[in-house]
Amino acid sequence: MATANYEKKGSIYFVGASEKFPKELEGVIEREIDNGRFVRISQKIDLYRSERRGEFSKRLFLIDEGFSAERKESVACLRKNFPEANLCMLINDDLSFPSIISEYFQEGLIKSVLPMNLRIDLWLGAIRLMLNGGHYLPADAIKYMGHERPSSAAPALQNHKQRGRTMNQFSKLTRRETEVLCLISEGHQNKIIADKLSLSEHTIKLHIHHIISKLGVSNRTEAAAIFIQKENHSPSLEA
């Protein structure tokens, strides 16, 4: 089989056994996410290829938890060769986080963890967030990180206590601010958000400033991550 083509901007690479990632989900990614070209890495040699051009640093590697546990040296090499890429561990059951999460975070190999059983809209939102440079870490994963707080996970972990309070602050957002935050969580940039809401970019920037202030977060990426977590934990209405 042909080796993975790393010369694709915005590409999403899956590392793991083929049956761990449904073909149907691959199709959803390519339909719903801009530049969401999906590539399955089928040859081990692809994990050891160096990144040749810095401009192709904006990519996402989704690594199955089974592969992560068995091939730590391969994941470490992937991190070394693609230092700017977002490496995310896919978890098949968020009620049973593997013990390797703590170890991988401590060594700076991964910065994101994504359960496979999220609602599809939230799952795609997390993918968009990571493609735009953000990191996703489920709130429930914190207790599996161990007592030592690794420096590589500091941005997510240092703000965890604050997130409990932040969940109650969403009620402070106006309807428009909530709409803006929703679009941010889907990975849209200010210009696109402005077009979608028929507003100026300046107005969008003001809304984002107010959102960050009201939620008590540091930046738009953190606000988006908390919004996705909030939506994931919100009860669904059944007909």
Side-chain angles (χ1 to χ4, degrees):
M1 302 178 80
T3 57
N5 179 9
Y6 286 141
E7 300 301 306
K8 292 181 176 180
K9 277 190 176 180
S11 289
I12 302 169
Y13 295 87
F14 171 70
V15 183
S18 180
E19 65 272 13
K20 293 292 187 177
F21 202 97
K23 274 290 205 180
E24 296 78 8
L25 189 53
E26 175 182 342
V28 170
I29 286 176
E30 296 190 333
R31 288 194 306 270
E32 299 294 333
I33 296 182
D34 295 338
N35 295 321
R37 303 181 185 90
F38 188 88
V39 179
R40 292 175 186 263
I41 294 182
S42 57
Q43 298 190 38
K44 188 175 180 180
I45 190 174
D46 284 324
L47 299 174
Y48 294 85
R49 293 170 55 200
S50 297
E51 184 171 7
R52 289 172 289 179
R53 297 174 61 185
E55 68 181 87
F56 292 103
S57 62
K58 195 174 179 181
R59 61 170 59 82
L60 171 64
F61 288 91
L62 302 175
I63 308 172
D64 179 70
E65 62 177 282
F67 181 94
S68 298
E70 298 171 5
R71 304 283 181 84
K72 181 180 177 181
E73 76 287 349
S74 296
V75 177
C77 187
L78 194 61
R79 165 55 66 208
K80 178 181 178 181
N81 289 339
F82 296 87
E84 300 301 321
N86 197 336
L87 270 59
C88 172
M89 187 185 298
L90 294 179
I91 304 299
N92 295 310
D93 181 2
D94 62 358
L95 297 180
S96 180
F97 287 94
S99 59
I100 57 174
I101 287 182
S102 177
E103 180 180 354
Y104 273 59
F105 264 90
Q106 288 175 9
E107 297 185 20
L109 299 182
I110 63 170
K111 294 185 179 180
S112 298
V113 175
L114 181 60
M116 289 294 286
N117 60 356
L118 283 180
R119 273 178 20 210
I120 187 62
D121 57 332
L122 301 179
W123 198 90
L124 289 172
I127 291 291
R128 293 188 182 99
L129 180 68
M130 289 187 286
L131 279 175
N132 281 279
H135 301 293
Y136 181 79
L137 183 64
D140 292 341
I142 300 296
K143 60 185 177 182
Y144 296 94
M145 299 302 298
H147 297 295
E148 180 180 352
R149 293 189 172 188
S151 59
S152 62
L157 299 180
Q158 287 174 353
N159 293 304
H160 176 59
K161 291 182 179 180
Q162 183 183 32
R163 287 179 181 177
R165 297 191 298 270
T166 304
M167 292 301 179
N168 296 323
Q169 293 178 308
F170 279 98
S171 60
K172 298 180 181 178
L173 300 182
T174 66
R175 179 182 60 82
R176 182 63 82 187
E177 289 167 351
T178 301
E179 291 174 343
V180 171
L181 181 54
C182 180
L183 291 171
I184 291 174
S185 73
E186 293 177 357
H188 298 298
Q189 297 302 311
N190 289 356
K191 181 178 180 180
I192 302 300
I193 296 175
D195 289 342
K196 286 180 175 292
L197 299 180
S198 299
L199 298 172
S200 69
E201 285 191 63
H202 177 70
T203 300
I204 296 301
K205 289 179 181 179
L206 285 177
H207 282 312
I208 293 174
H209 173 76
H210 293 154
I211 290 168
I212 291 173
S213 177
K214 289 180 179 180
L215 296 184
V217 295
S218 302
N219 52 56
R220 59 184 285 154
T221 297
E222 186 181 340
I226 296 174
F227 180 80
I228 292 174
Q229 291 175 4
K230 169 185 174 293
E231 290 298 292
N232 182 42
H233 287 84
S234 296
S236 59
L237 297 177
E238 296 182 359

